[in-house]
Structure formats: structure tokens, C-alpha cells
């Protein structure tokens, strides 16, 4: 870990407020900068989209639709943020399932300060080395895409490698006339339907080229809306497809 601990702010994702505050105290006493804890996977993704932390401490059991394992996989493979699981589980089956998220460590509660401190530093060091590989340098969202997540008026939607909606900004909620919680983990082609205004043919968003510039009509909405969709593939730090970045640019009413 070459940089200072202050260069790696920590986000705690924990649905037990007492445990969250204990972890926060331990981390601050160890010299880490700690972001305000969140208690669900949905909130974790929104927080990471707004301000990317250096590392995340993740409980496996969370409130909401997303488990800690699903959330950890999204944070690492889409946002390229390393995750350490902090859990009360030590069963082999649970830990085996958790490995699917490619975590950078496991800590079983109650947490020892020295072990926590060491695990974070080892994990950050490992992530630095991974980020220095050819695939790691381009893993996750680009800087421009990260800025568009919260700083753009255009609709932006993130999809995982199973074509499910995992996050959308306020502009996308307004455009689709549904809340993010209603669309979370829904099948994108079923939830985002478009048709060619000339032929009336239904268009598969995954068939579109990033250079696509023709307006399409959004289907199944209360008001007719036209957008110019653009979809970009996201690769993780191993070079595998981990998801998609979908822009829905207004094309006029």
C-alpha cells in the first residue's frame, strides 16, 4: 500500500447500525477516512456511483433486493472497487458462494482491529497490482462514464452481465416513468422497449452499435418519447464482459 490511508476512503455496508458504528470507530482509530455507512446494496451502488471509495467493507446479509454477495460483485466488476466481506457467517457453503464475487478478503465478526487494518492494506496492495495489469488498467467504468452517472442530465442505466438493470440515475427514472427500486434486477430488454419510428420494428438495445445516431421511440410509456440510445460494453479487471453502460439521449418530443 504505497499511498497514505487517507487516499483510500472506506465505505461500510452494514445493516446493523451498532456494528456499522463499531467498524467506523475502529477504522478511524486506525487512521482511515470513513464515509457515512449505508445499509443496503442499492444504497451502496448509489454511493459508489456518486463518490468512488478506495475499498468497501461488505456484510453478506443486507436489507433490500441485493445481497452483499451480489453487491460486491457489482462494485468490483463494474466500478473496479475492491470489497472485503465482514460477516457473521463462517459456514463453508456461504463462504464458497461468496467467492463468486471475487472479494479481496474475509473477516468474521467480531472484528479485531489489527487484523482489519492488515487485511485492508493487503487488499489495497493487491488491487493496485491488479490495476497495473493490461486488463486492470481498463477495468470497470471509464472516468467519463463515472462522471456521467451523477453529473449528467441524460438518462444513464447500468446493466450487469445478465442484462439486468442494476442502477439508473434520476433522469432515467423520469424517462422510464418508474423508480429505480421498481426496475432493480429487471430484465433490460423487457423493461426498456424501443421501436423504429419508420418501420415500427422492435429494436433490441444490445444489437446497437456505439455509433448509432438514429432516434427510436420508447414503448409502453404514458407519453411518446424519442431517444437516441447508445450502449457500451464494460469489461472487468480480468478482461471479461461484466456489464453495459446505456445512455438514452433525448431526441426531441
Amino acid at each position: 500500500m504505497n499511498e497514505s490511508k487517507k487516499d483510500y476512503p472506506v465505505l461500510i455496508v452494514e445493516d446493523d447500525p451498532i456494528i456499522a458504528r463499531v467498524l467506523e470507530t475502529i477504522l478511524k482509530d486506525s487512521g482511515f477516512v470513513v464515509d457515512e455507512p449505508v445499509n443496503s446494496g442499492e444504497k451502496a451502488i448509489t454511493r459508489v456511483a456518486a463518490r468512488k471509495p478506495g475499498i468497501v467493507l461488505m456484510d453478506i446479509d443486507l436489507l433490500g433486493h441485493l445481497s452483499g454477495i451480489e453487491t460486491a460483485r457489482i462494485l468490483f466488476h463494474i466500478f473496479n472497487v475492491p470489497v472485503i466481506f465482514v460477516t457473521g457467517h463462517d459456514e463453508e457453503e456461504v463462504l464458497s458462494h461468496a467467492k463468486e464475487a471475487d472479494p479481496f478478503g474475509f473477516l468474521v465478526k467480531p472484528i479485531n482491529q489489527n487484523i482489519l487494518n492488515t487485511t485492508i492494506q493487503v487488499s489495497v496492495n493487491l488491487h493496485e497490482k491488479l490495476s497495473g495489469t493490461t486488463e486492470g488498467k481498463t477495468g470497470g467504468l471509464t472516468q467519463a462514464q463515472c462522471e456521467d452517472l451523477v453529473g449528467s442530465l441524460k438518462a444513464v442505466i447500468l446493466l450487469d452481465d445478465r442484462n439486468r438493470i442494476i442502477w439508473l440515475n434520476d433522469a432515467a427514472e423520469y424517462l422510464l416513468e418508474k423508480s429505480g427500486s421498481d426496475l432493480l434486477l429487471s430484465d433490460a430488454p423487457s423493461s426498456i422497449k424501443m421501436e423504429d419510428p419508420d418501420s415500427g420494428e422492435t429494436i433490441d438495445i444490445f444489437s446497437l452499435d456505439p455509433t448509432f445516431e438514429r432516434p427510436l421511440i420508447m414503448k409502453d410509456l404514458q407519453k411518446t418519447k424519442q431517444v437516441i440510445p447508445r450502449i457500451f460494453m464494460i469489461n472487468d479487471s480480468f478482461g471479461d464482459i461484466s456489464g453495459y453502460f446505456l445512455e438514452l439521449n433525448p431526441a426531441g418530443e
Side-chain angles (χ1 to χ4, degrees):
M1 187 171 181
N2 299 324
E3 289 82 359
S4 164
K5 292 179 181 179
K6 294 182 179 179
D7 295 325
Y8 284 86
V10 182
L11 173 63
I12 299 167
V13 186
E14 168 62 63
D15 60 6
D16 185 320
I18 296 177
I19 295 176
R21 293 305 174 190
V22 168
L23 284 171
E24 186 176 10
T25 299
I26 292 174
L27 288 166
K28 288 181 177 179
D29 287 346
S30 297
F32 289 98
V33 173
V34 186
D35 203 349
E36 181 67 22
V38 295
N39 61 6
S40 71
E42 296 91 320
K43 291 179 180 178
I45 294 171
T46 298
R47 179 68 61 78
V48 171
R51 49 181 190 268
K52 189 175 177 180
I55 197 161
V56 173
L57 300 184
M58 177 78 64
D59 186 16
I60 288 179
D61 296 318
L62 292 174
L63 300 172
H65 298 290
L66 287 170
S67 70
I69 296 173
E70 288 178 308
T71 306
R73 191 172 190 278
I74 291 169
L75 295 188
F76 177 50
H77 288 270
I78 299 291
F79 292 92
N80 196 21
V81 174
V83 176
I84 296 171
F85 282 124
V86 180
T87 177
H89 294 286
D90 58 3
E91 300 90 346
E92 182 62 32
E93 183 178 351
V94 174
L95 298 182
S96 178
H97 180 43
K99 291 177 184 177
E100 297 174 6
D102 295 315
F104 281 67
F106 288 92
L107 293 171
V108 179
K109 303 169 185 175
I111 302 302
N112 175 277
Q113 182 172 359
N114 291 332
I115 295 177
L116 174 60
N117 186 47
T118 300
T119 301
I120 291 176
Q121 295 191 61
V122 169
S123 299
V124 168
N125 184 62
L126 177 60
H127 185 250
E128 286 178 346
K129 291 182 177 180
L130 180 60
S131 298
T133 64
T134 301
E135 294 82 3
K137 290 178 181 177
T138 57
L141 297 167
T142 66
Q143 182 61 38
Q145 288 172 337
C146 288
E147 292 173 357
D148 278 345
L149 292 182
V150 292
S152 174
L153 295 178
K154 62 187 172 186
V156 176
I157 303 169
L158 293 181
L159 316 175
D160 66 9
D161 56 352
R162 295 163 60 185
N163 302 341
R164 301 181 304 174
I165 296 174
I166 56 174
W167 186 87
L168 62 163
N169 65 1
D170 292 342
E173 288 186 333
Y174 176 78
L175 179 67
L176 297 175
E177 300 174 355
K178 291 183 180 179
S179 68
S181 58
D182 290 335
L183 291 169
L184 183 67
L185 299 183
S186 66
D187 178 64
S190 300
S191 301
I192 308 171
K193 298 179 180 179
M194 302 183 194
E195 67 179 31
D196 188 298
D198 297 323
S199 66
E201 177 187 2
T202 299
I203 303 297
D204 178 6
I205 58 175
F206 292 99
S207 69
L208 300 177
D209 186 273
T211 60
F212 187 87
E213 292 292 344
R214 207 156 45 82
L216 299 176
I217 294 176
M218 301 285 295
K219 297 176 63 177
D220 300 337
L221 300 179
Q222 294 182 8
K223 183 180 179 181
T224 300
K225 300 174 184 177
Q226 289 195 6
V227 297
I228 300 175
R230 300 183 70 194
I231 189 164
F232 303 88
M233 189 168 57
I234 303 170
N235 290 322
D236 61 21
S237 296
F238 307 112
D240 298 322
I241 298 174
S242 58
Y244 301 88
F245 181 94
L246 175 63
E247 297 177 357
L248 300 176
N249 301 284
E253 299 296 333

